[in-house]
Amino acid sequence: MMTSVRKPRVAVHKFSSCDGCQLALLNLGEDLLALAERVELVHFAEAGPLDPESDVDVAFVEGSVSTPEDIERIQQVRRHSRFLIPIGACATAGGIQALRNGANGAQWVAQIYSHPEAIASLAHSTPISGHVNVDFELWGCPVNSRQMLAVVNSLLLGVAPHDNADKVCTECKRHGYPCVLVSRGVACMGPVTRAGCGALCPSLGRDCYGCYGPAENANTDALAAQFERQGLTPQAVMQRFQSVNNQAPVFLAAADKAGMPRDE
Ligand code: SF4
Ligand code: SF4
Ligand code: SF4
């Protein structure tokens, strides 16, 4: 992929987000210093370099498109980037701010801000792929440092990054963590959630809440039925699918279905 002798140029752009995914890159610590030897960090406001309009080989994009200005800016980033990679739930699925997509956003703004006319936000928060072509997506809220490094290393080696769309349950079993769904009847989203975090929450005795988004072939019907057998109300089942990846099509459909009256 990258045959030039010059260092590959990398940019990290922020859209509507909390900065947590950029921290995943900063948290690389010594690995980030080593990486800085191999790439030229052209734009990364959190770390210092500021040059958002330069041409780059790889652009990581954190955040969703939530304002009119975001729409123009993501087009510009796309024009200047050879590979464009959205990182995190905001960038891949609209993020928690996309909960407004099914509500009256203008009403919320009026309730919260004393000068709502000063807020320039779109009615919907949408993923980066809804506006430009993307070359790979890294899911998670936040993404983890290991994933970020693996993607950069793959691109530096000229190979396509590995896309692990398997389920969190596979990581859980591999590590031998006790299953909180089976042993404690907790409503764990691991059976429908994409792997990548190393089953972090079950490793601490907690249920997965789906922050890595839908896994491949996610059987949301079966999991929703299981949640109901465990005593969750349809409203509670719906809310399990309405977390940070609420606009991921698989979770959106599952939430809609859970909220619909059932034929007896
Ligand atoms: S995905 Fe999560 S951690 Fe990353 S920017 Fe969005 S809210 Fe923050
Ligand atoms: S704890 Fe959750 S992620 Fe782990 S095996 Fe059970 S259902 Fe799957
Ligand atoms: S276990 Fe689930 S909620 Fe916890 S970090 Fe992993 S994907 Fe996110």
PDB file of all heavy atoms in Angstrom, residues 164-201:
ATOM      1  N   ASN A 164     -12.206  -8.025  13.221  1.00  0.00           N
ATOM      2  CA  ASN A 164     -12.738  -9.085  14.082  1.00  0.00           C
ATOM      3  C   ASN A 164     -14.191  -8.774  14.417  1.00  0.00           C
ATOM      4  O   ASN A 164     -14.468  -7.989  15.322  1.00  0.00           O
ATOM      5  CB  ASN A 164     -11.906  -9.187  15.367  1.00  0.00           C
ATOM      6  CG  ASN A 164     -12.358 -10.355  16.231  1.00  0.00           C
ATOM      7  OD1 ASN A 164     -13.290 -11.076  15.862  1.00  0.00           O
ATOM      8  ND2 ASN A 164     -11.710 -10.546  17.366  1.00  0.00           N
ATOM      9  N   ALA A 165     -15.099  -9.379  13.660  1.00  0.00           N
ATOM     10  CA  ALA A 165     -16.530  -9.116  13.888  1.00  0.00           C
ATOM     11  C   ALA A 165     -17.183 -10.242  14.670  1.00  0.00           C
ATOM     12  O   ALA A 165     -18.398 -10.367  14.705  1.00  0.00           O
ATOM     13  CB  ALA A 165     -17.234  -8.919  12.547  1.00  0.00           C
ATOM     14  N   ASP A 166     -16.342 -11.088  15.300  1.00  0.00           N
ATOM     15  CA  ASP A 166     -16.869 -12.178  16.131  1.00  0.00           C
ATOM     16  C   ASP A 166     -17.493 -11.588  17.406  1.00  0.00           C
ATOM     17  O   ASP A 166     -17.451 -10.390  17.617  1.00  0.00           O
ATOM     18  CB  ASP A 166     -15.715 -13.129  16.483  1.00  0.00           C
ATOM     19  CG  ASP A 166     -16.202 -14.563  16.531  1.00  0.00           C
ATOM     20  OD1 ASP A 166     -17.417 -14.768  16.691  1.00  0.00           O
ATOM     21  OD2 ASP A 166     -15.351 -15.470  16.416  1.00  0.00           O
ATOM     22  N   LYS A 167     -18.028 -12.444  18.239  1.00  0.00           N
ATOM     23  CA  LYS A 167     -18.787 -11.953  19.397  1.00  0.00           C
ATOM     24  C   LYS A 167     -17.928 -11.878  20.667  1.00  0.00           C
ATOM     25  O   LYS A 167     -16.964 -12.635  20.807  1.00  0.00           O
ATOM     26  CB  LYS A 167     -19.986 -12.878  19.629  1.00  0.00           C
ATOM     27  CG  LYS A 167     -20.913 -12.896  18.410  1.00  0.00           C
ATOM     28  CD  LYS A 167     -21.896 -14.023  18.433  1.00  0.00           C
ATOM     29  CE  LYS A 167     -22.788 -13.983  17.190  1.00  0.00           C
ATOM     30  NZ  LYS A 167     -22.087 -14.390  15.960  1.00  0.00           N
ATOM     31  N   VAL A 168     -18.323 -11.004  21.585  1.00  0.00           N
ATOM     32  CA  VAL A 168     -17.595 -10.874  22.856  1.00  0.00           C
ATOM     33  C   VAL A 168     -17.536 -12.222  23.572  1.00  0.00           C
ATOM     34  O   VAL A 168     -16.542 -12.550  24.218  1.00  0.00           O
ATOM     35  CB  VAL A 168     -18.255  -9.809  23.761  1.00  0.00           C
ATOM     36  CG1 VAL A 168     -17.609  -9.786  25.140  1.00  0.00           C
ATOM     37  CG2 VAL A 168     -18.154  -8.432  23.133  1.00  0.00           C
ATOM     38  N   CYS A 169     -18.605 -13.022  23.425  1.00  0.00           N
ATOM     39  CA  CYS A 169     -18.634 -14.339  24.093  1.00  0.00           C
ATOM     40  C   CYS A 169     -17.396 -15.168  23.741  1.00  0.00           C
ATOM     41  O   CYS A 169     -16.890 -15.909  24.593  1.00  0.00           O
ATOM     42  CB  CYS A 169     -19.884 -15.113  23.692  1.00  0.00           C
ATOM     43  SG  CYS A 169     -21.404 -14.418  24.337  1.00  0.00           S
ATOM     44  N   THR A 170     -16.908 -15.057  22.506  1.00  0.00           N
ATOM     45  CA  THR A 170     -15.752 -15.873  22.124  1.00  0.00           C
ATOM     46  C   THR A 170     -14.518 -15.479  22.946  1.00  0.00           C
ATOM     47  O   THR A 170     -13.731 -16.333  23.352  1.00  0.00           O
ATOM     48  CB  THR A 170     -15.428 -15.728  20.617  1.00  0.00           C
ATOM     49  OG1 THR A 170     -15.139 -14.356  20.344  1.00  0.00           O
ATOM     50  CG2 THR A 170     -16.586 -16.186  19.747  1.00  0.00           C
ATOM     51  N   GLU A 171     -14.360 -14.170  23.192  1.00  0.00           N
ATOM     52  CA  GLU A 171     -13.218 -13.719  24.003  1.00  0.00           C
ATOM     53  C   GLU A 171     -13.403 -14.138  25.463  1.00  0.00           C
ATOM     54  O   GLU A 171     -12.455 -14.506  26.149  1.00  0.00           O
ATOM     55  CB  GLU A 171     -13.092 -12.192  23.913  1.00  0.00           C
ATOM     56  CG  GLU A 171     -12.814 -11.698  22.506  1.00  0.00           C
ATOM     57  CD  GLU A 171     -12.584 -10.198  22.460  1.00  0.00           C
ATOM     58  OE1 GLU A 171     -13.469  -9.452  22.910  1.00  0.00           O
ATOM     59  OE2 GLU A 171     -11.524  -9.779  21.979  1.00  0.00           O
ATOM     60  N   CYS A 172     -14.651 -14.068  25.913  1.00  0.00           N
ATOM     61  CA  CYS A 172     -14.982 -14.433  27.282  1.00  0.00           C
ATOM     62  C   CYS A 172     -14.631 -15.902  27.533  1.00  0.00           C
ATOM     63  O   CYS A 172     -13.987 -16.243  28.530  1.00  0.00           O
ATOM     64  CB  CYS A 172     -16.482 -14.206  27.446  1.00  0.00           C
ATOM     65  SG  CYS A 172     -17.013 -13.824  29.083  1.00  0.00           S
ATOM     66  N   LYS A 173     -15.049 -16.753  26.581  1.00  0.00           N
ATOM     67  CA  LYS A 173     -14.783 -18.190  26.729  1.00  0.00           C
ATOM     68  C   LYS A 173     -13.286 -18.465  26.663  1.00  0.00           C
ATOM     69  O   LYS A 173     -12.755 -19.292  27.398  1.00  0.00           O
ATOM     70  CB  LYS A 173     -15.493 -18.980  25.605  1.00  0.00           C
ATOM     71  CG  LYS A 173     -16.998 -18.885  25.647  1.00  0.00           C
ATOM     72  CD  LYS A 173     -17.532 -19.539  26.899  1.00  0.00           C
ATOM     73  CE  LYS A 173     -19.026 -19.400  27.004  1.00  0.00           C
ATOM     74  NZ  LYS A 173     -19.512 -19.557  28.372  1.00  0.00           N
ATOM     75  N   ARG A 174     -12.611 -17.761  25.736  1.00  0.00           N
ATOM     76  CA  ARG A 174     -11.175 -17.987  25.554  1.00  0.00           C
ATOM     77  C   ARG A 174     -10.411 -17.692  26.850  1.00  0.00           C
ATOM     78  O   ARG A 174      -9.483 -18.386  27.208  1.00  0.00           O
ATOM     79  CB  ARG A 174     -10.673 -17.087  24.414  1.00  0.00           C
ATOM     80  CG  ARG A 174      -9.401 -17.577  23.760  1.00  0.00           C
ATOM     81  CD  ARG A 174      -9.101 -16.772  22.514  1.00  0.00           C
ATOM     82  NE  ARG A 174     -10.095 -16.907  21.471  1.00  0.00           N
ATOM     83  CZ  ARG A 174     -10.650 -15.891  20.806  1.00  0.00           C
ATOM     84  NH1 ARG A 174     -10.314 -14.654  21.075  1.00  0.00           N
ATOM     85  NH2 ARG A 174     -11.547 -16.112  19.868  1.00  0.00           N
ATOM     86  N   HIS A 175     -10.860 -16.660  27.562  1.00  0.00           N
ATOM     87  CA  HIS A 175     -10.183 -16.289  28.816  1.00  0.00           C
ATOM     88  C   HIS A 175     -10.684 -17.105  30.006  1.00  0.00           C
ATOM     89  O   HIS A 175     -10.125 -17.015  31.100  1.00  0.00           O
ATOM     90  CB  HIS A 175     -10.403 -14.806  29.118  1.00  0.00           C
ATOM     91  CG  HIS A 175      -9.664 -13.888  28.179  1.00  0.00           C
ATOM     92  ND1 HIS A 175      -8.296 -13.775  28.171  1.00  0.00           N
ATOM     93  CD2 HIS A 175     -10.097 -13.043  27.222  1.00  0.00           C
ATOM     94  CE1 HIS A 175      -7.925 -12.899  27.249  1.00  0.00           C
ATOM     95  NE2 HIS A 175      -9.000 -12.448  26.655  1.00  0.00           N
ATOM     96  N   GLY A 176     -11.792 -17.827  29.823  1.00  0.00           N
ATOM     97  CA  GLY A 176     -12.327 -18.634  30.922  1.00  0.00           C
ATOM     98  C   GLY A 176     -13.066 -17.814  31.970  1.00  0.00           C
ATOM     99  O   GLY A 176     -13.154 -18.231  33.131  1.00  0.00           O
ATOM    100  N   TYR A 177     -13.632 -16.660  31.568  1.00  0.00           N
ATOM    101  CA  TYR A 177     -14.386 -15.867  32.537  1.00  0.00           C
ATOM    102  C   TYR A 177     -15.744 -16.524  32.785  1.00  0.00           C
ATOM    103  O   TYR A 177     -16.378 -17.004  31.846  1.00  0.00           O
ATOM    104  CB  TYR A 177     -14.619 -14.438  32.022  1.00  0.00           C
ATOM    105  CG  TYR A 177     -13.350 -13.668  31.737  1.00  0.00           C
ATOM    106  CD1 TYR A 177     -13.265 -12.844  30.614  1.00  0.00           C
ATOM    107  CD2 TYR A 177     -12.251 -13.744  32.593  1.00  0.00           C
ATOM    108  CE1 TYR A 177     -12.108 -12.122  30.349  1.00  0.00           C
ATOM    109  CE2 TYR A 177     -11.091 -13.024  32.324  1.00  0.00           C
ATOM    110  CZ  TYR A 177     -11.024 -12.222  31.200  1.00  0.00           C
ATOM    111  OH  TYR A 177      -9.889 -11.522  30.922  1.00  0.00           O
ATOM    112  N   PRO A 178     -16.227 -16.502  34.028  1.00  0.00           N
ATOM    113  CA  PRO A 178     -17.572 -17.045  34.295  1.00  0.00           C
ATOM    114  C   PRO A 178     -18.618 -16.230  33.541  1.00  0.00           C
ATOM    115  O   PRO A 178     -18.509 -15.003  33.456  1.00  0.00           O
ATOM    116  CB  PRO A 178     -17.738 -16.871  35.808  1.00  0.00           C
ATOM    117  CG  PRO A 178     -16.364 -16.629  36.346  1.00  0.00           C
ATOM    118  CD  PRO A 178     -15.574 -15.992  35.241  1.00  0.00           C
ATOM    119  N   CYS A 179     -19.618 -16.914  32.994  1.00  0.00           N
ATOM    120  CA  CYS A 179     -20.656 -16.226  32.210  1.00  0.00           C
ATOM    121  C   CYS A 179     -21.675 -15.602  33.161  1.00  0.00           C
ATOM    122  O   CYS A 179     -22.381 -16.309  33.878  1.00  0.00           O
ATOM    123  CB  CYS A 179     -21.337 -17.208  31.266  1.00  0.00           C
ATOM    124  SG  CYS A 179     -22.697 -16.437  30.359  1.00  0.00           S
ATOM    125  N   VAL A 180     -21.775 -14.268  33.151  1.00  0.00           N
ATOM    126  CA  VAL A 180     -22.694 -13.585  34.070  1.00  0.00           C
ATOM    127  C   VAL A 180     -24.143 -13.794  33.654  1.00  0.00           C
ATOM    128  O   VAL A 180     -25.045 -13.746  34.489  1.00  0.00           O
ATOM    129  CB  VAL A 180     -22.385 -12.069  34.170  1.00  0.00           C
ATOM    130  CG1 VAL A 180     -20.992 -11.845  34.738  1.00  0.00           C
ATOM    131  CG2 VAL A 180     -22.550 -11.372  32.827  1.00  0.00           C
ATOM    132  N   LEU A 181     -24.362 -14.058  32.369  1.00  0.00           N
ATOM    133  CA  LEU A 181     -25.733 -14.286  31.892  1.00  0.00           C
ATOM    134  C   LEU A 181     -26.250 -15.629  32.413  1.00  0.00           C
ATOM    135  O   LEU A 181     -27.362 -15.735  32.928  1.00  0.00           O
ATOM    136  CB  LEU A 181     -25.769 -14.236  30.362  1.00  0.00           C
ATOM    137  CG  LEU A 181     -27.148 -14.232  29.690  1.00  0.00           C
ATOM    138  CD1 LEU A 181     -27.123 -13.398  28.425  1.00  0.00           C
ATOM    139  CD2 LEU A 181     -27.601 -15.643  29.338  1.00  0.00           C
ATOM    140  N   VAL A 182     -25.414 -16.654  32.327  1.00  0.00           N
ATOM    141  CA  VAL A 182     -25.830 -17.992  32.760  1.00  0.00           C
ATOM    142  C   VAL A 182     -25.781 -18.113  34.283  1.00  0.00           C
ATOM    143  O   VAL A 182     -26.716 -18.604  34.916  1.00  0.00           O
ATOM    144  CB  VAL A 182     -24.929 -19.063  32.101  1.00  0.00           C
ATOM    145  CG1 VAL A 182     -25.207 -20.439  32.691  1.00  0.00           C
ATOM    146  CG2 VAL A 182     -25.134 -19.071  30.592  1.00  0.00           C
ATOM    147  N   SER A 183     -24.698 -17.642  34.892  1.00  0.00           N
ATOM    148  CA  SER A 183     -24.515 -17.896  36.330  1.00  0.00           C
ATOM    149  C   SER A 183     -25.332 -16.949  37.212  1.00  0.00           C
ATOM    150  O   SER A 183     -25.724 -17.303  38.306  1.00  0.00           O
ATOM    151  CB  SER A 183     -23.036 -17.805  36.701  1.00  0.00           C
ATOM    152  OG  SER A 183     -22.568 -16.493  36.468  1.00  0.00           O
ATOM    153  N   ARG A 184     -25.568 -15.701  36.711  1.00  0.00           N
ATOM    154  CA  ARG A 184     -26.267 -14.736  37.578  1.00  0.00           C
ATOM    155  C   ARG A 184     -27.518 -14.167  36.940  1.00  0.00           C
ATOM    156  O   ARG A 184     -28.180 -13.309  37.521  1.00  0.00           O
ATOM    157  CB  ARG A 184     -25.305 -13.591  37.949  1.00  0.00           C
ATOM    158  CG  ARG A 184     -24.107 -14.103  38.735  1.00  0.00           C
ATOM    159  CD  ARG A 184     -23.320 -13.033  39.469  1.00  0.00           C
ATOM    160  NE  ARG A 184     -23.669 -11.676  39.150  1.00  0.00           N
ATOM    161  CZ  ARG A 184     -22.844 -10.789  38.568  1.00  0.00           C
ATOM    162  NH1 ARG A 184     -21.634 -11.139  38.245  1.00  0.00           N
ATOM    163  NH2 ARG A 184     -23.244  -9.557  38.333  1.00  0.00           N
ATOM    164  N   GLY A 185     -27.831 -14.604  35.725  1.00  0.00           N
ATOM    165  CA  GLY A 185     -29.038 -14.110  35.064  1.00  0.00           C
ATOM    166  C   GLY A 185     -28.991 -12.631  34.732  1.00  0.00           C
ATOM    167  O   GLY A 185     -30.013 -11.955  34.662  1.00  0.00           O
ATOM    168  N   VAL A 186     -27.772 -12.105  34.507  1.00  0.00           N
ATOM    169  CA  VAL A 186     -27.629 -10.688  34.166  1.00  0.00           C
ATOM    170  C   VAL A 186     -27.777 -10.530  32.646  1.00  0.00           C
ATOM    171  O   VAL A 186     -27.305 -11.369  31.880  1.00  0.00           O
ATOM    172  CB  VAL A 186     -26.244 -10.170  34.618  1.00  0.00           C
ATOM    173  CG1 VAL A 186     -26.067  -8.710  34.257  1.00  0.00           C
ATOM    174  CG2 VAL A 186     -26.083 -10.363  36.115  1.00  0.00           C
ATOM    175  N   ALA A 187     -28.423  -9.442  32.230  1.00  0.00           N
ATOM    176  CA  ALA A 187     -28.729  -9.244  30.802  1.00  0.00           C
ATOM    177  C   ALA A 187     -27.487  -8.794  30.026  1.00  0.00           C
ATOM    178  O   ALA A 187     -27.302  -7.609  29.741  1.00  0.00           O
ATOM    179  CB  ALA A 187     -29.845  -8.215  30.650  1.00  0.00           C
ATOM    180  N   CYS A 188     -26.640  -9.748  29.688  1.00  0.00           N
ATOM    181  CA  CYS A 188     -25.374  -9.449  29.017  1.00  0.00           C
ATOM    182  C   CYS A 188     -25.569  -9.377  27.507  1.00  0.00           C
ATOM    183  O   CYS A 188     -26.178 -10.249  26.896  1.00  0.00           O
ATOM    184  CB  CYS A 188     -24.361 -10.538  29.359  1.00  0.00           C
ATOM    185  SG  CYS A 188     -22.731 -10.217  28.661  1.00  0.00           S
ATOM    186  N   MET A 189     -25.009  -8.338  26.892  1.00  0.00           N
ATOM    187  CA  MET A 189     -25.129  -8.137  25.440  1.00  0.00           C
ATOM    188  C   MET A 189     -24.012  -8.828  24.665  1.00  0.00           C
ATOM    189  O   MET A 189     -23.921  -8.711  23.445  1.00  0.00           O
ATOM    190  CB  MET A 189     -25.093  -6.631  25.143  1.00  0.00           C
ATOM    191  CG  MET A 189     -26.330  -5.873  25.575  1.00  0.00           C
ATOM    192  SD  MET A 189     -27.696  -6.101  24.428  1.00  0.00           S
ATOM    193  CE  MET A 189     -27.154  -5.046  23.066  1.00  0.00           C
ATOM    194  N   GLY A 190     -23.137  -9.551  25.369  1.00  0.00           N
ATOM    195  CA  GLY A 190     -22.004 -10.198  24.713  1.00  0.00           C
ATOM    196  C   GLY A 190     -22.352 -11.079  23.524  1.00  0.00           C
ATOM    197  O   GLY A 190     -21.614 -11.091  22.534  1.00  0.00           O
ATOM    198  N   PRO A 191     -23.473 -11.823  23.559  1.00  0.00           N
ATOM    199  CA  PRO A 191     -23.776 -12.711  22.431  1.00  0.00           C
ATOM    200  C   PRO A 191     -24.042 -11.986  21.106  1.00  0.00           C
ATOM    201  O   PRO A 191     -24.045 -12.623  20.059  1.00  0.00           O
ATOM    202  CB  PRO A 191     -25.043 -13.447  22.910  1.00  0.00           C
ATOM    203  CG  PRO A 191     -24.964 -13.421  24.402  1.00  0.00           C
ATOM    204  CD  PRO A 191     -24.343 -12.084  24.720  1.00  0.00           C
ATOM    205  N   VAL A 192     -24.312 -10.673  21.150  1.00  0.00           N
ATOM    206  CA  VAL A 192     -24.584  -9.952  19.896  1.00  0.00           C
ATOM    207  C   VAL A 192     -23.579  -8.827  19.648  1.00  0.00           C
ATOM    208  O   VAL A 192     -23.731  -8.050  18.707  1.00  0.00           O
ATOM    209  CB  VAL A 192     -26.023  -9.375  19.873  1.00  0.00           C
ATOM    210  CG1 VAL A 192     -27.062 -10.487  19.927  1.00  0.00           C
ATOM    211  CG2 VAL A 192     -26.242  -8.377  21.018  1.00  0.00           C
ATOM    212  N   THR A 193     -22.584  -8.728  20.524  1.00  0.00           N
ATOM    213  CA  THR A 193     -21.650  -7.586  20.442  1.00  0.00           C
ATOM    214  C   THR A 193     -20.301  -8.007  19.868  1.00  0.00           C
ATOM    215  O   THR A 193     -19.777  -9.074  20.173  1.00  0.00           O
ATOM    216  CB  THR A 193     -21.465  -6.964  21.850  1.00  0.00           C
ATOM    217  OG1 THR A 193     -22.735  -6.521  22.310  1.00  0.00           O
ATOM    218  CG2 THR A 193     -20.502  -5.800  21.831  1.00  0.00           C
ATOM    219  N   ARG A 194     -19.769  -7.135  19.070  1.00  0.00           N
ATOM    220  CA  ARG A 194     -18.498  -7.343  18.370  1.00  0.00           C
ATOM    221  C   ARG A 194     -17.323  -7.455  19.349  1.00  0.00           C
ATOM    222  O   ARG A 194     -17.235  -6.679  20.314  1.00  0.00           O
ATOM    223  CB  ARG A 194     -18.324  -6.131  17.458  1.00  0.00           C
ATOM    224  CG  ARG A 194     -17.045  -5.999  16.711  1.00  0.00           C
ATOM    225  CD  ARG A 194     -17.127  -4.725  15.875  1.00  0.00           C
ATOM    226  NE  ARG A 194     -17.906  -4.945  14.682  1.00  0.00           N
ATOM    227  CZ  ARG A 194     -17.388  -5.120  13.465  1.00  0.00           C
ATOM    228  NH1 ARG A 194     -16.086  -5.043  13.288  1.00  0.00           N
ATOM    229  NH2 ARG A 194     -18.154  -5.326  12.430  1.00  0.00           N
ATOM    230  N   ALA A 195     -16.451  -8.395  19.106  1.00  0.00           N
ATOM    231  CA  ALA A 195     -15.274  -8.598  19.960  1.00  0.00           C
ATOM    232  C   ALA A 195     -14.256  -7.469  19.766  1.00  0.00           C
ATOM    233  O   ALA A 195     -14.399  -6.639  18.876  1.00  0.00           O
ATOM    234  CB  ALA A 195     -14.632  -9.939  19.617  1.00  0.00           C
ATOM    235  N   GLY A 196     -13.230  -7.470  20.596  1.00  0.00           N
ATOM    236  CA  GLY A 196     -12.161  -6.479  20.448  1.00  0.00           C
ATOM    237  C   GLY A 196     -11.690  -5.926  21.778  1.00  0.00           C
ATOM    238  O   GLY A 196     -10.569  -5.440  21.904  1.00  0.00           O
ATOM    239  N   CYS A 197     -12.555  -6.004  22.789  1.00  0.00           N
ATOM    240  CA  CYS A 197     -12.196  -5.419  24.090  1.00  0.00           C
ATOM    241  C   CYS A 197     -11.573  -6.449  25.019  1.00  0.00           C
ATOM    242  O   CYS A 197     -11.159  -6.111  26.129  1.00  0.00           O
ATOM    243  CB  CYS A 197     -13.435  -4.833  24.751  1.00  0.00           C
ATOM    244  SG  CYS A 197     -14.618  -6.114  25.229  1.00  0.00           S
ATOM    245  N   GLY A 198     -11.535  -7.722  24.588  1.00  0.00           N
ATOM    246  CA  GLY A 198     -11.026  -8.771  25.474  1.00  0.00           C
ATOM    247  C   GLY A 198     -12.026  -9.147  26.556  1.00  0.00           C
ATOM    248  O   GLY A 198     -11.639  -9.602  27.620  1.00  0.00           O
ATOM    249  N   ALA A 199     -13.318  -8.917  26.281  1.00  0.00           N
ATOM    250  CA  ALA A 199     -14.390  -9.216  27.254  1.00  0.00           C
ATOM    251  C   ALA A 199     -14.125  -8.492  28.575  1.00  0.00           C
ATOM    252  O   ALA A 199     -14.172  -9.081  29.656  1.00  0.00           O
ATOM    253  CB  ALA A 199     -14.535 -10.728  27.458  1.00  0.00           C
ATOM    254  N   LEU A 200     -13.856  -7.204  28.452  1.00  0.00           N
ATOM    255  CA  LEU A 200     -13.472  -6.400  29.618  1.00  0.00           C
ATOM    256  C   LEU A 200     -14.509  -6.454  30.748  1.00  0.00           C
ATOM    257  O   LEU A 200     -14.161  -6.710  31.908  1.00  0.00           O
ATOM    258  CB  LEU A 200     -13.253  -4.946  29.170  1.00  0.00           C
ATOM    259  CG  LEU A 200     -12.842  -3.952  30.238  1.00  0.00           C
ATOM    260  CD1 LEU A 200     -11.513  -4.348  30.856  1.00  0.00           C
ATOM    261  CD2 LEU A 200     -12.760  -2.553  29.649  1.00  0.00           C
ATOM    262  N   CYS A 201     -15.763  -6.212  30.419  1.00  0.00           N
ATOM    263  CA  CYS A 201     -16.782  -6.136  31.486  1.00  0.00           C
ATOM    264  C   CYS A 201     -17.008  -7.484  32.165  1.00  0.00           C
ATOM    265  O   CYS A 201     -16.975  -7.554  33.404  1.00  0.00           O
ATOM    266  CB  CYS A 201     -18.080  -5.531  30.940  1.00  0.00           C
ATOM    267  SG  CYS A 201     -17.827  -3.854  30.309  1.00  0.00           S
TER     268      CYS A 201
END
